[in-house]
Amino acid sequence: MKTANQNLSTLKVERSQRYFNKLSLFFYDFILYGVISKYAWGSSIQRLDAHYKKYVSSNHLEVGVGTGFLLNRVVFDTAKPRLALMDLSRECLAKTKFKVSRYAPETYIQNLLEPVQHKIAKFDSIAINYVMHCVPGSFKEKGIAFSHLQPLLTDNSVLFGTSVLSEDVHKNLFAKPFMWLMNYLGVFNNRNDNARDLKDFLEKNFQVLDFEVVGVTAFFAVKNK
């Protein structure tokens, strides 16, 4: 039986997910990567591409796929990589699967706050890009999402990604109102997110390879201890 906190988290997840529909996804890439990421969050497409290039492998799981914009830009080191997509949104999975259909990706529907129920062979890299700021709770609570993905990592594989922070970061004049709006609508759940809590959780559970805050965006990469 779920607790009251678990039920509240489920409601917040469902509230966030309803904004990822065919209409919003049509404009998603231009709004997020063309405008907001660069001018509000402080991370350019080039910076995001570089993060992928450094850590992605040809046996890769993409978690929280969005439209597959960044994934579609990846140059794998083989013509036939093993690629898997994981998301709670069927709309996001369908759009991304179509965009990267040349790789015949596996797809998995999954709530990150719950243990992974699928039987999946492990991966050499897992990306979770611009996802955690949508997940309810502080990192002390929603960090469990990383723990749920941990069994899918091979001994030497890397989990990497980004997340938009709210606490103890400098928000420019564009970031302040937009972040407030995203939290008000329930798309974001990051009012209590800060670099300290994120890094503390990662250090307790993984070996941290990379951790940097660019603008209001945390870039991270970890591997199993």
Side-chain angles (χ1 to χ4, degrees):
M1 182 178 295
K2 289 186 176 181
T3 66
N5 285 338
Q6 288 173 323
N7 286 327
L8 180 60
S9 292
T10 299
L11 289 173
K12 287 183 176 180
V13 168
E14 292 174 351
R15 184 183 180 194
S16 177
Q17 285 296 308
R18 71 184 182 187
Y19 292 101
F20 295 92
N21 52 56
K22 289 182 179 179
L23 179 61
S24 66
L25 293 178
F26 181 80
F27 299 101
Y28 186 90
D29 292 346
F30 172 75
I31 294 173
L32 176 57
Y33 295 108
V35 181
I36 296 169
S37 183
K38 181 177 180 180
Y39 297 107
W41 308 154
S43 54
S44 66
I45 293 174
Q46 291 74 22
R47 180 66 179 80
L48 293 162
D49 283 343
H51 202 49
Y52 270 79
K53 184 177 181 180
K54 187 173 182 180
Y55 295 111
V56 75
S57 74
S58 58
N59 177 22
H60 179 72
L61 170 64
E62 189 78 4
V63 177
V65 297
T67 65
F69 177 80
L70 293 175
L71 183 61
N72 192 43
R73 295 164 62 87
V74 169
V75 178
F76 292 100
D77 60 8
T78 177
K80 294 183 178 180
R82 178 196 175 207
L83 179 62
L85 313 174
M86 181 178 286
D87 205 298
L88 187 58
S89 167
R90 295 178 184 272
E91 296 285 358
C92 289
L93 284 172
K95 190 172 185 70
T96 302
K97 183 179 181 180
F98 177 78
K99 188 173 289 186
V100 296
S101 59
R102 61 194 181 275
Y103 301 127
E106 307 162 26
T107 58
Y108 302 97
I109 296 173
Q110 178 67 43
N111 182 342
L112 294 179
L113 293 178
E114 299 174 356
V116 176
Q117 299 298 324
H118 311 279
K119 293 182 179 180
I120 312 173
K122 294 185 178 184
F123 298 93
D124 295 325
S125 62
I126 298 176
I128 181 166
N129 185 67
Y130 280 168
V131 174
M132 294 301 292
H133 51 253
C134 296
V135 180
S138 69
F139 282 114
K140 295 177 181 178
E141 299 156 341
K142 64 186 174 185
I144 192 67
F146 295 120
S147 299
H148 290 155
L149 294 173
Q150 196 166 14
L152 300 180
L153 292 166
T154 60
D155 290 343
N156 295 311
S157 58
V158 176
L159 185 153
F160 68 95
T162 57
S163 189
V164 176
L165 306 174
S166 181
E167 284 189 343
D168 302 328
V169 287
H170 173 70
K171 304 185 188 92
N172 63 31
L173 294 177
F174 189 17
K176 285 181 180 179
F178 192 77
M179 199 177 300
W180 178 87
L181 177 63
M182 290 296 97
N183 276 282
Y184 175 78
L185 293 174
V187 182
F188 281 15
N189 290 283
N190 75 336
R191 288 191 178 96
N192 299 316
D193 289 6
N194 59 70
R196 180 185 62 256
D197 287 347
L198 172 56
K199 192 174 184 181
D200 283 351
F201 185 91
L202 294 176
E203 286 179 337
K204 288 177 182 176
N205 295 277
F206 300 90
Q207 177 187 346
V208 176
L209 304 175
D210 189 1
F211 192 94
E212 181 182 10
V213 177
V214 179
V216 297
T217 305
F219 285 76
F220 56 85
V222 299
K223 64 186 298 185
N224 280 327
K225 289 185 177 180

